[in-house]
Amino acid sequence: MMRIDILSAVPQLLSGFVDASIVGIARKKGIAEIYVHDLHDYGLGKYRQIDDYPYGGGAGMVLRPEPVARWIEHLQSERAYDEIIFMTPDAPVLHQRAVNALALKQNLLIIAGHYKGLDQRIRDKYVTMEWSIGDYVLSGGELPAAVLTDAIVRLLPGVLNDETSALTDSFQNGLLAPPVYTRPAEFEGMEVPPVLRSGDHRAIEQWREAQSREKTRRIRPDLLGE
Ligand code: SAH
């Protein structure tokens, strides 16, 4: 069974996430275990402080290294982690190939940053991999950690059923997914493309492939190397 541990300053943000939807299903089916840990558990002093002023001055607070290091050491004393991943905007942008590779691992530890970020020494000493979820800045790493966890867990065998197979989604074949339709066949004067109702599986495949290519060329030519 895959295990994902998430270190967070605001674990409440993730409590609904780990119980609901795909991730909840994976847990209930015994396919993945996901644990969220509060950095304040190893906070300093009476107020369980986890942040402090930045050396060199400037705005914002920085996560102190000790609470993060203690959590990492604690978890590492119980099992070996394949990767210790820090979610941060100053990193390469996450992509499907990386997610596919992570879905083959056993134990992952994901660190959600907060405030201005994480003391660089933690990144230097413990973190083995860093991902951004896009070129914009959020206030905390919880949503990015949830994004990565969801993307991984939905790939684990047995989580999705056939109708929602991950293999036909965008990016798995390097293209955007084709348009999808369901009933009714006519909605407010708009018809479902007849080929999809033809029962001709070859023609349907060809139509989907052509739509995928056209859409990718129009919206994401970078995926085609154009
Ligand atoms: N000072 C940092 C931003 C800190 S934002 C900088 O300018 O690069 C606070 C935390 O939110 C980060 O530590 C990170 O964990 C998370 N975060 C914000 N935007 C993110 C993104 N695009 N991808 C991944 N994590 C992000």
Side-chain angles (χ1 to χ4, degrees), residues 101-135:
L102 288 172
L104 301 173
K105 306 289 186 188
Q106 267 305 306
N107 300 314
L108 299 174
L109 177 48
I110 305 176
I111 306 170
H114 208 67
Y115 316 112
K116 289 304 275 183
L118 185 54
D119 188 288
Q120 182 61 36
R121 290 165 291 185
I122 293 290
R123 297 170 73 168
D124 294 343
K125 176 162 182 198
Y126 295 102
V127 170
T128 60
M129 183 181 259
E130 300 187 328
W131 293 113
S132 163
I133 62 162
D135 294 343

PDB file of all heavy atoms in Angstrom, residues 101-135:
ATOM      1  N   ALA A 101       5.564   8.742 -12.476  1.00  0.00           N
ATOM      2  CA  ALA A 101       6.718   8.108 -11.825  1.00  0.00           C
ATOM      3  C   ALA A 101       6.506   8.043 -10.314  1.00  0.00           C
ATOM      4  O   ALA A 101       6.824   7.027  -9.677  1.00  0.00           O
ATOM      5  CB  ALA A 101       7.997   8.880 -12.165  1.00  0.00           C
ATOM      6  N   LEU A 102       5.948   9.087  -9.741  1.00  0.00           N
ATOM      7  CA  LEU A 102       5.723   9.094  -8.290  1.00  0.00           C
ATOM      8  C   LEU A 102       4.679   8.063  -7.880  1.00  0.00           C
ATOM      9  O   LEU A 102       4.725   7.525  -6.771  1.00  0.00           O
ATOM     10  CB  LEU A 102       5.308  10.492  -7.820  1.00  0.00           C
ATOM     11  CG  LEU A 102       6.428  11.529  -7.822  1.00  0.00           C
ATOM     12  CD1 LEU A 102       5.883  12.924  -7.535  1.00  0.00           C
ATOM     13  CD2 LEU A 102       7.504  11.167  -6.793  1.00  0.00           C
ATOM     14  N   ALA A 103       3.746   7.767  -8.783  1.00  0.00           N
ATOM     15  CA  ALA A 103       2.689   6.800  -8.463  1.00  0.00           C
ATOM     16  C   ALA A 103       3.252   5.377  -8.309  1.00  0.00           C
ATOM     17  O   ALA A 103       2.558   4.493  -7.813  1.00  0.00           O
ATOM     18  CB  ALA A 103       1.604   6.828  -9.534  1.00  0.00           C
ATOM     19  N   LEU A 104       4.504   5.173  -8.714  1.00  0.00           N
ATOM     20  CA  LEU A 104       5.131   3.845  -8.580  1.00  0.00           C
ATOM     21  C   LEU A 104       5.885   3.694  -7.262  1.00  0.00           C
ATOM     22  O   LEU A 104       6.420   2.633  -6.960  1.00  0.00           O
ATOM     23  CB  LEU A 104       6.096   3.602  -9.749  1.00  0.00           C
ATOM     24  CG  LEU A 104       5.464   3.656 -11.145  1.00  0.00           C
ATOM     25  CD1 LEU A 104       6.541   3.575 -12.229  1.00  0.00           C
ATOM     26  CD2 LEU A 104       4.453   2.533 -11.317  1.00  0.00           C
ATOM     27  N   LYS A 105       5.959   4.762  -6.475  1.00  0.00           N
ATOM     28  CA  LYS A 105       6.734   4.728  -5.226  1.00  0.00           C
ATOM     29  C   LYS A 105       5.919   4.152  -4.078  1.00  0.00           C
ATOM     30  O   LYS A 105       4.711   4.000  -4.167  1.00  0.00           O
ATOM     31  CB  LYS A 105       7.196   6.138  -4.869  1.00  0.00           C
ATOM     32  CG  LYS A 105       7.946   6.862  -5.962  1.00  0.00           C
ATOM     33  CD  LYS A 105       9.312   6.289  -6.191  1.00  0.00           C
ATOM     34  CE  LYS A 105      10.104   7.126  -7.184  1.00  0.00           C
ATOM     35  NZ  LYS A 105      11.353   6.499  -7.577  1.00  0.00           N
ATOM     36  N   GLN A 106       6.617   3.882  -2.972  1.00  0.00           N
ATOM     37  CA  GLN A 106       5.989   3.322  -1.762  1.00  0.00           C
ATOM     38  C   GLN A 106       5.607   4.395  -0.749  1.00  0.00           C
ATOM     39  O   GLN A 106       4.470   4.502  -0.347  1.00  0.00           O
ATOM     40  CB  GLN A 106       6.994   2.382  -1.067  1.00  0.00           C
ATOM     41  CG  GLN A 106       6.888   0.936  -1.455  1.00  0.00           C
ATOM     42  CD  GLN A 106       5.480   0.393  -1.258  1.00  0.00           C
ATOM     43  OE1 GLN A 106       4.915   0.483  -0.182  1.00  0.00           O
ATOM     44  NE2 GLN A 106       4.900  -0.154  -2.317  1.00  0.00           N
ATOM     45  N   ASN A 107       6.616   5.148  -0.330  1.00  0.00           N
ATOM     46  CA  ASN A 107       6.434   6.139   0.737  1.00  0.00           C
ATOM     47  C   ASN A 107       6.894   7.516   0.278  1.00  0.00           C
ATOM     48  O   ASN A 107       8.042   7.682  -0.135  1.00  0.00           O
ATOM     49  CB  ASN A 107       7.253   5.750   1.981  1.00  0.00           C
ATOM     50  CG  ASN A 107       6.833   4.403   2.540  1.00  0.00           C
ATOM     51  OD1 ASN A 107       5.649   4.119   2.685  1.00  0.00           O
ATOM     52  ND2 ASN A 107       7.812   3.569   2.837  1.00  0.00           N
ATOM     53  N   LEU A 108       5.979   8.478   0.364  1.00  0.00           N
ATOM     54  CA  LEU A 108       6.324   9.842  -0.028  1.00  0.00           C
ATOM     55  C   LEU A 108       6.054  10.780   1.142  1.00  0.00           C
ATOM     56  O   LEU A 108       5.057  10.628   1.853  1.00  0.00           O
ATOM     57  CB  LEU A 108       5.482  10.289  -1.229  1.00  0.00           C
ATOM     58  CG  LEU A 108       5.646   9.467  -2.508  1.00  0.00           C
ATOM     59  CD1 LEU A 108       4.646   9.944  -3.562  1.00  0.00           C
ATOM     60  CD2 LEU A 108       7.074   9.577  -3.049  1.00  0.00           C
ATOM     61  N   LEU A 109       6.940  11.740   1.301  1.00  0.00           N
ATOM     62  CA  LEU A 109       6.755  12.763   2.328  1.00  0.00           C
ATOM     63  C   LEU A 109       6.676  14.106   1.610  1.00  0.00           C
ATOM     64  O   LEU A 109       7.576  14.454   0.836  1.00  0.00           O
ATOM     65  CB  LEU A 109       7.937  12.715   3.300  1.00  0.00           C
ATOM     66  CG  LEU A 109       8.019  13.725   4.436  1.00  0.00           C
ATOM     67  CD1 LEU A 109       6.713  13.854   5.190  1.00  0.00           C
ATOM     68  CD2 LEU A 109       9.130  13.314   5.393  1.00  0.00           C
ATOM     69  N   ILE A 110       5.582  14.817   1.814  1.00  0.00           N
ATOM     70  CA  ILE A 110       5.370  16.089   1.130  1.00  0.00           C
ATOM     71  C   ILE A 110       5.346  17.210   2.164  1.00  0.00           C
ATOM     72  O   ILE A 110       4.633  17.118   3.175  1.00  0.00           O
ATOM     73  CB  ILE A 110       4.038  16.091   0.344  1.00  0.00           C
ATOM     74  CG1 ILE A 110       3.989  14.914  -0.632  1.00  0.00           C
ATOM     75  CG2 ILE A 110       3.850  17.412  -0.386  1.00  0.00           C
ATOM     76  CD1 ILE A 110       2.638  14.791  -1.373  1.00  0.00           C
ATOM     77  N   ILE A 111       6.124  18.255   1.928  1.00  0.00           N
ATOM     78  CA  ILE A 111       6.156  19.393   2.842  1.00  0.00           C
ATOM     79  C   ILE A 111       5.423  20.572   2.215  1.00  0.00           C
ATOM     80  O   ILE A 111       5.743  20.984   1.088  1.00  0.00           O
ATOM     81  CB  ILE A 111       7.603  19.813   3.171  1.00  0.00           C
ATOM     82  CG1 ILE A 111       8.415  18.612   3.688  1.00  0.00           C
ATOM     83  CG2 ILE A 111       7.611  20.947   4.192  1.00  0.00           C
ATOM     84  CD1 ILE A 111       9.910  18.901   3.797  1.00  0.00           C
ATOM     85  N   ALA A 112       4.422  21.064   2.938  1.00  0.00           N
ATOM     86  CA  ALA A 112       3.716  22.267   2.511  1.00  0.00           C
ATOM     87  C   ALA A 112       4.366  23.456   3.193  1.00  0.00           C
ATOM     88  O   ALA A 112       4.466  23.487   4.417  1.00  0.00           O
ATOM     89  CB  ALA A 112       2.241  22.170   2.908  1.00  0.00           C
ATOM     90  N   GLY A 113       4.802  24.420   2.438  1.00  0.00           N
ATOM     91  CA  GLY A 113       5.406  25.611   3.032  1.00  0.00           C
ATOM     92  C   GLY A 113       4.340  26.573   3.522  1.00  0.00           C
ATOM     93  O   GLY A 113       3.135  26.342   3.372  1.00  0.00           O
ATOM     94  N   HIS A 114       4.801  27.660   4.122  1.00  0.00           N
ATOM     95  CA  HIS A 114       3.875  28.661   4.634  1.00  0.00           C
ATOM     96  C   HIS A 114       4.649  29.959   4.730  1.00  0.00           C
ATOM     97  O   HIS A 114       5.869  29.972   4.638  1.00  0.00           O
ATOM     98  CB  HIS A 114       3.364  28.218   6.017  1.00  0.00           C
ATOM     99  CG  HIS A 114       2.002  28.748   6.309  1.00  0.00           C
ATOM    100  ND1 HIS A 114       0.896  28.343   5.614  1.00  0.00           N
ATOM    101  CD2 HIS A 114       1.562  29.678   7.201  1.00  0.00           C
ATOM    102  CE1 HIS A 114      -0.174  28.964   6.089  1.00  0.00           C
ATOM    103  NE2 HIS A 114       0.217  29.787   7.041  1.00  0.00           N
ATOM    104  N   TYR A 115       3.948  31.089   4.935  1.00  0.00           N
ATOM    105  CA  TYR A 115       4.599  32.385   5.051  1.00  0.00           C
ATOM    106  C   TYR A 115       5.505  32.631   3.842  1.00  0.00           C
ATOM    107  O   TYR A 115       5.085  32.381   2.715  1.00  0.00           O
ATOM    108  CB  TYR A 115       5.389  32.487   6.365  1.00  0.00           C
ATOM    109  CG  TYR A 115       4.626  31.958   7.561  1.00  0.00           C
ATOM    110  CD1 TYR A 115       5.025  30.802   8.219  1.00  0.00           C
ATOM    111  CD2 TYR A 115       3.475  32.607   8.015  1.00  0.00           C
ATOM    112  CE1 TYR A 115       4.320  30.317   9.317  1.00  0.00           C
ATOM    113  CE2 TYR A 115       2.761  32.108   9.108  1.00  0.00           C
ATOM    114  CZ  TYR A 115       3.189  30.973   9.743  1.00  0.00           C
ATOM    115  OH  TYR A 115       2.501  30.486  10.805  1.00  0.00           O
ATOM    116  N   LYS A 116       6.751  33.046   4.111  1.00  0.00           N
ATOM    117  CA  LYS A 116       7.663  33.317   2.987  1.00  0.00           C
ATOM    118  C   LYS A 116       8.320  32.040   2.476  1.00  0.00           C
ATOM    119  O   LYS A 116       9.017  32.059   1.464  1.00  0.00           O
ATOM    120  CB  LYS A 116       8.766  34.303   3.388  1.00  0.00           C
ATOM    121  CG  LYS A 116       8.315  35.722   3.606  1.00  0.00           C
ATOM    122  CD  LYS A 116       7.611  36.313   2.401  1.00  0.00           C
ATOM    123  CE  LYS A 116       8.570  36.909   1.381  1.00  0.00           C
ATOM    124  NZ  LYS A 116       7.806  37.527   0.266  1.00  0.00           N
ATOM    125  N   GLY A 117       8.123  30.941   3.185  1.00  0.00           N
ATOM    126  CA  GLY A 117       8.729  29.696   2.724  1.00  0.00           C
ATOM    127  C   GLY A 117       9.484  29.001   3.839  1.00  0.00           C
ATOM    128  O   GLY A 117       9.295  29.284   5.026  1.00  0.00           O
ATOM    129  N   LEU A 118      10.319  28.087   3.433  1.00  0.00           N
ATOM    130  CA  LEU A 118      11.002  27.172   4.332  1.00  0.00           C
ATOM    131  C   LEU A 118      12.476  27.555   4.398  1.00  0.00           C
ATOM    132  O   LEU A 118      13.077  27.876   3.377  1.00  0.00           O
ATOM    133  CB  LEU A 118      10.845  25.775   3.708  1.00  0.00           C
ATOM    134  CG  LEU A 118      11.317  24.530   4.397  1.00  0.00           C
ATOM    135  CD1 LEU A 118      10.726  24.428   5.794  1.00  0.00           C
ATOM    136  CD2 LEU A 118      10.869  23.333   3.555  1.00  0.00           C
ATOM    137  N   ASP A 119      13.026  27.516   5.599  1.00  0.00           N
ATOM    138  CA  ASP A 119      14.457  27.786   5.760  1.00  0.00           C
ATOM    139  C   ASP A 119      15.249  26.939   4.756  1.00  0.00           C
ATOM    140  O   ASP A 119      15.054  25.725   4.655  1.00  0.00           O
ATOM    141  CB  ASP A 119      14.877  27.445   7.194  1.00  0.00           C
ATOM    142  CG  ASP A 119      16.297  27.884   7.492  1.00  0.00           C
ATOM    143  OD1 ASP A 119      17.234  27.242   6.962  1.00  0.00           O
ATOM    144  OD2 ASP A 119      16.476  28.843   8.250  1.00  0.00           O
ATOM    145  N   GLN A 120      16.139  27.613   4.023  1.00  0.00           N
ATOM    146  CA  GLN A 120      16.863  26.952   2.924  1.00  0.00           C
ATOM    147  C   GLN A 120      17.618  25.706   3.380  1.00  0.00           C
ATOM    148  O   GLN A 120      17.818  24.759   2.617  1.00  0.00           O
ATOM    149  CB  GLN A 120      17.835  27.948   2.279  1.00  0.00           C
ATOM    150  CG  GLN A 120      18.614  27.396   1.089  1.00  0.00           C
ATOM    151  CD  GLN A 120      17.717  26.970  -0.064  1.00  0.00           C
ATOM    152  OE1 GLN A 120      16.693  27.589  -0.353  1.00  0.00           O
ATOM    153  NE2 GLN A 120      18.071  25.866  -0.740  1.00  0.00           N
ATOM    154  N   ARG A 121      18.036  25.671   4.653  1.00  0.00           N
ATOM    155  CA  ARG A 121      18.848  24.534   5.104  1.00  0.00           C
ATOM    156  C   ARG A 121      18.066  23.228   5.116  1.00  0.00           C
ATOM    157  O   ARG A 121      18.643  22.150   4.913  1.00  0.00           O
ATOM    158  CB  ARG A 121      19.440  24.843   6.485  1.00  0.00           C
ATOM    159  CG  ARG A 121      20.520  25.927   6.388  1.00  0.00           C
ATOM    160  CD  ARG A 121      20.856  26.502   7.723  1.00  0.00           C
ATOM    161  NE  ARG A 121      19.767  27.290   8.283  1.00  0.00           N
ATOM    162  CZ  ARG A 121      19.839  27.983   9.409  1.00  0.00           C
ATOM    163  NH1 ARG A 121      20.963  27.971  10.120  1.00  0.00           N
ATOM    164  NH2 ARG A 121      18.810  28.697   9.851  1.00  0.00           N
ATOM    165  N   ILE A 122      16.742  23.326   5.325  1.00  0.00           N
ATOM    166  CA  ILE A 122      15.917  22.110   5.236  1.00  0.00           C
ATOM    167  C   ILE A 122      15.891  21.619   3.793  1.00  0.00           C
ATOM    168  O   ILE A 122      15.998  20.420   3.520  1.00  0.00           O
ATOM    169  CB  ILE A 122      14.477  22.397   5.727  1.00  0.00           C
ATOM    170  CG1 ILE A 122      14.476  22.702   7.222  1.00  0.00           C
ATOM    171  CG2 ILE A 122      13.551  21.220   5.410  1.00  0.00           C
ATOM    172  CD1 ILE A 122      14.783  21.517   8.109  1.00  0.00           C
ATOM    173  N   ARG A 123      15.772  22.569   2.867  1.00  0.00           N
ATOM    174  CA  ARG A 123      15.759  22.183   1.452  1.00  0.00           C
ATOM    175  C   ARG A 123      17.093  21.532   1.079  1.00  0.00           C
ATOM    176  O   ARG A 123      17.138  20.538   0.369  1.00  0.00           O
ATOM    177  CB  ARG A 123      15.474  23.407   0.579  1.00  0.00           C
ATOM    178  CG  ARG A 123      14.088  23.999   0.848  1.00  0.00           C
ATOM    179  CD  ARG A 123      13.860  25.335   0.175  1.00  0.00           C
ATOM    180  NE  ARG A 123      13.669  25.240  -1.278  1.00  0.00           N
ATOM    181  CZ  ARG A 123      13.237  26.248  -2.024  1.00  0.00           C
ATOM    182  NH1 ARG A 123      12.945  27.418  -1.482  1.00  0.00           N
ATOM    183  NH2 ARG A 123      13.094  26.100  -3.325  1.00  0.00           N
ATOM    184  N   ASP A 124      18.171  22.088   1.590  1.00  0.00           N
ATOM    185  CA  ASP A 124      19.500  21.561   1.246  1.00  0.00           C
ATOM    186  C   ASP A 124      19.730  20.177   1.854  1.00  0.00           C
ATOM    187  O   ASP A 124      20.299  19.298   1.221  1.00  0.00           O
ATOM    188  CB  ASP A 124      20.600  22.508   1.764  1.00  0.00           C
ATOM    189  CG  ASP A 124      20.573  23.859   1.048  1.00  0.00           C
ATOM    190  OD1 ASP A 124      19.956  23.943  -0.034  1.00  0.00           O
ATOM    191  OD2 ASP A 124      21.151  24.829   1.591  1.00  0.00           O
ATOM    192  N   LYS A 125      19.273  19.989   3.096  1.00  0.00           N
ATOM    193  CA  LYS A 125      19.630  18.749   3.792  1.00  0.00           C
ATOM    194  C   LYS A 125      18.665  17.598   3.527  1.00  0.00           C
ATOM    195  O   LYS A 125      19.104  16.459   3.369  1.00  0.00           O
ATOM    196  CB  LYS A 125      19.708  18.999   5.309  1.00  0.00           C
ATOM    197  CG  LYS A 125      19.984  17.716   6.082  1.00  0.00           C
ATOM    198  CD  LYS A 125      20.488  17.931   7.484  1.00  0.00           C
ATOM    199  CE  LYS A 125      20.786  16.568   8.134  1.00  0.00           C
ATOM    200  NZ  LYS A 125      20.867  16.662   9.577  1.00  0.00           N
ATOM    201  N   TYR A 126      17.364  17.883   3.510  1.00  0.00           N
ATOM    202  CA  TYR A 126      16.405  16.781   3.486  1.00  0.00           C
ATOM    203  C   TYR A 126      15.621  16.613   2.180  1.00  0.00           C
ATOM    204  O   TYR A 126      15.260  15.497   1.822  1.00  0.00           O
ATOM    205  CB  TYR A 126      15.362  16.964   4.598  1.00  0.00           C
ATOM    206  CG  TYR A 126      15.908  16.894   6.001  1.00  0.00           C
ATOM    207  CD1 TYR A 126      16.127  18.041   6.739  1.00  0.00           C
ATOM    208  CD2 TYR A 126      16.178  15.655   6.584  1.00  0.00           C
ATOM    209  CE1 TYR A 126      16.610  17.980   8.038  1.00  0.00           C
ATOM    210  CE2 TYR A 126      16.649  15.585   7.892  1.00  0.00           C
ATOM    211  CZ  TYR A 126      16.865  16.752   8.607  1.00  0.00           C
ATOM    212  OH  TYR A 126      17.336  16.680   9.890  1.00  0.00           O
ATOM    213  N   VAL A 127      15.307  17.737   1.536  1.00  0.00           N
ATOM    214  CA  VAL A 127      14.375  17.668   0.398  1.00  0.00           C
ATOM    215  C   VAL A 127      15.067  17.038  -0.807  1.00  0.00           C
ATOM    216  O   VAL A 127      16.195  17.397  -1.152  1.00  0.00           O
ATOM    217  CB  VAL A 127      13.840  19.086   0.074  1.00  0.00           C
ATOM    218  CG1 VAL A 127      13.067  19.096  -1.250  1.00  0.00           C
ATOM    219  CG2 VAL A 127      12.954  19.583   1.211  1.00  0.00           C
ATOM    220  N   THR A 128      14.388  16.066  -1.435  1.00  0.00           N
ATOM    221  CA  THR A 128      14.984  15.380  -2.587  1.00  0.00           C
ATOM    222  C   THR A 128      14.341  15.802  -3.903  1.00  0.00           C
ATOM    223  O   THR A 128      14.831  15.469  -4.976  1.00  0.00           O
ATOM    224  CB  THR A 128      14.833  13.852  -2.458  1.00  0.00           C
ATOM    225  OG1 THR A 128      13.431  13.528  -2.397  1.00  0.00           O
ATOM    226  CG2 THR A 128      15.521  13.331  -1.208  1.00  0.00           C
ATOM    227  N   MET A 129      13.225  16.534  -3.809  1.00  0.00           N
ATOM    228  CA  MET A 129      12.498  16.867  -5.026  1.00  0.00           C
ATOM    229  C   MET A 129      11.610  18.073  -4.735  1.00  0.00           C
ATOM    230  O   MET A 129      11.039  18.170  -3.651  1.00  0.00           O
ATOM    231  CB  MET A 129      11.638  15.651  -5.385  1.00  0.00           C
ATOM    232  CG  MET A 129      10.858  15.731  -6.646  1.00  0.00           C
ATOM    233  SD  MET A 129       9.913  14.203  -6.858  1.00  0.00           S
ATOM    234  CE  MET A 129      10.941  13.349  -8.035  1.00  0.00           C
ATOM    235  N   GLU A 130      11.522  19.000  -5.682  1.00  0.00           N
ATOM    236  CA  GLU A 130      10.674  20.172  -5.469  1.00  0.00           C
ATOM    237  C   GLU A 130       9.792  20.395  -6.678  1.00  0.00           C
ATOM    238  O   GLU A 130      10.248  20.265  -7.817  1.00  0.00           O
ATOM    239  CB  GLU A 130      11.534  21.428  -5.239  1.00  0.00           C
ATOM    240  CG  GLU A 130      12.445  21.301  -4.031  1.00  0.00           C
ATOM    241  CD  GLU A 130      13.176  22.587  -3.674  1.00  0.00           C
ATOM    242  OE1 GLU A 130      13.489  23.376  -4.597  1.00  0.00           O
ATOM    243  OE2 GLU A 130      13.444  22.790  -2.486  1.00  0.00           O
ATOM    244  N   TRP A 131       8.517  20.726  -6.423  1.00  0.00           N
ATOM    245  CA  TRP A 131       7.594  21.012  -7.529  1.00  0.00           C
ATOM    246  C   TRP A 131       6.769  22.243  -7.229  1.00  0.00           C
ATOM    247  O   TRP A 131       6.327  22.451  -6.101  1.00  0.00           O
ATOM    248  CB  TRP A 131       6.631  19.843  -7.767  1.00  0.00           C
ATOM    249  CG  TRP A 131       7.280  18.605  -8.269  1.00  0.00           C
ATOM    250  CD1 TRP A 131       7.389  17.423  -7.605  1.00  0.00           C
ATOM    251  CD2 TRP A 131       7.901  18.416  -9.551  1.00  0.00           C
ATOM    252  NE1 TRP A 131       8.052  16.511  -8.397  1.00  0.00           N
ATOM    253  CE2 TRP A 131       8.375  17.091  -9.583  1.00  0.00           C
ATOM    254  CE3 TRP A 131       8.112  19.241 -10.662  1.00  0.00           C
ATOM    255  CZ2 TRP A 131       9.042  16.563 -10.687  1.00  0.00           C
ATOM    256  CZ3 TRP A 131       8.772  18.708 -11.759  1.00  0.00           C
ATOM    257  CH2 TRP A 131       9.229  17.396 -11.770  1.00  0.00           C
ATOM    258  N   SER A 132       6.540  23.002  -8.285  1.00  0.00           N
ATOM    259  CA  SER A 132       5.567  24.092  -8.270  1.00  0.00           C
ATOM    260  C   SER A 132       4.310  23.578  -8.966  1.00  0.00           C
ATOM    261  O   SER A 132       4.397  22.696  -9.824  1.00  0.00           O
ATOM    262  CB  SER A 132       6.145  25.279  -9.048  1.00  0.00           C
ATOM    263  OG  SER A 132       5.115  26.188  -9.386  1.00  0.00           O
ATOM    264  N   ILE A 133       3.142  24.107  -8.608  1.00  0.00           N
ATOM    265  CA  ILE A 133       1.947  23.709  -9.364  1.00  0.00           C
ATOM    266  C   ILE A 133       1.573  24.748 -10.417  1.00  0.00           C
ATOM    267  O   ILE A 133       0.557  24.614 -11.081  1.00  0.00           O
ATOM    268  CB  ILE A 133       0.737  23.390  -8.459  1.00  0.00           C
ATOM    269  CG1 ILE A 133       0.296  24.607  -7.658  1.00  0.00           C
ATOM    270  CG2 ILE A 133       1.050  22.222  -7.535  1.00  0.00           C
ATOM    271  CD1 ILE A 133      -1.136  24.448  -7.123  1.00  0.00           C
ATOM    272  N   GLY A 134       2.396  25.775 -10.600  1.00  0.00           N
ATOM    273  CA  GLY A 134       2.114  26.752 -11.655  1.00  0.00           C
ATOM    274  C   GLY A 134       2.696  28.103 -11.302  1.00  0.00           C
ATOM    275  O   GLY A 134       3.095  28.347 -10.157  1.00  0.00           O
ATOM    276  N   ASP A 135       2.741  28.970 -12.282  1.00  0.00           N
ATOM    277  CA  ASP A 135       3.412  30.257 -12.111  1.00  0.00           C
ATOM    278  C   ASP A 135       2.509  31.298 -11.473  1.00  0.00           C
ATOM    279  O   ASP A 135       2.131  32.294 -12.102  1.00  0.00           O
ATOM    280  CB  ASP A 135       3.933  30.755 -13.468  1.00  0.00           C
ATOM    281  CG  ASP A 135       5.032  29.859 -14.001  1.00  0.00           C
ATOM    282  OD1 ASP A 135       5.601  29.086 -13.209  1.00  0.00           O
ATOM    283  OD2 ASP A 135       5.322  29.932 -15.208  1.00  0.00           O
TER     284      ASP A 135
END
